[in-house]
């Protein structure tokens, strides 16, 4: 097949993979134990879970959008 038949180039796929990895890292940062009926865990409101991880995910999604709209040469 000719390279011009594909919608995305190699650069687009690499950028998509990097963006997906960033999103996965963001979700891993959000993960952790929660509170139960018997015990309250204040760690669920840590800055890592409510500030850093959502921003990492947002950056990953924005980079994936950029990967889709990036025009390969």
């Amino acid at each position: 097949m000719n390279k011009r038949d594909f919608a995305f180039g190699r650069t687009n796929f690499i950028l998509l993979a990097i963006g997906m990895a960033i999103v996965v890292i963001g979700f891993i940062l959000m993960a952790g134990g929660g509170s139960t009926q018997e015990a309250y865990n204040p760690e669920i409101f840590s800055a890592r879970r409510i500030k850093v991880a959502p921003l990492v995910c947002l950056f990953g999604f924005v980079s994936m959008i950029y990967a889709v709209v990036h025009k390969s040469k």
Side-chain angles (χ1 to χ4, degrees), residues 11-30 53 56-68:
T11 306
N12 295 90
F13 284 117
I14 291 172
L15 292 174
L16 275 170
I18 291 170
M20 182 58 89
I22 292 171
V23 170
V24 168
I25 289 169
F27 278 109
I28 289 171
L29 288 173
M30 278 190 240
V56 170
C57 287
L58 178 67
F59 178 71
F61 285 124
V62 169
S63 65
M64 289 174 70
I65 291 170
Y66 174 75
V68 170

Side-chain angles (χ1 to χ4, degrees), residues 41-63:
N41 184 4
E43 184 64 24
I44 62 173
F45 298 111
S46 69
R48 180 193 65 159
R49 286 188 179 179
I50 63 173
K51 293 179 184 174
V52 176
L55 287 175
V56 170
C57 287
L58 178 67
F59 178 71
F61 285 124
V62 169
S63 65

Side-chain angles (χ1 to χ4, degrees), residues 34-41:
S35 293
T36 63
Q37 292 286 342
E38 295 80 29
Y40 172 71
N41 184 4

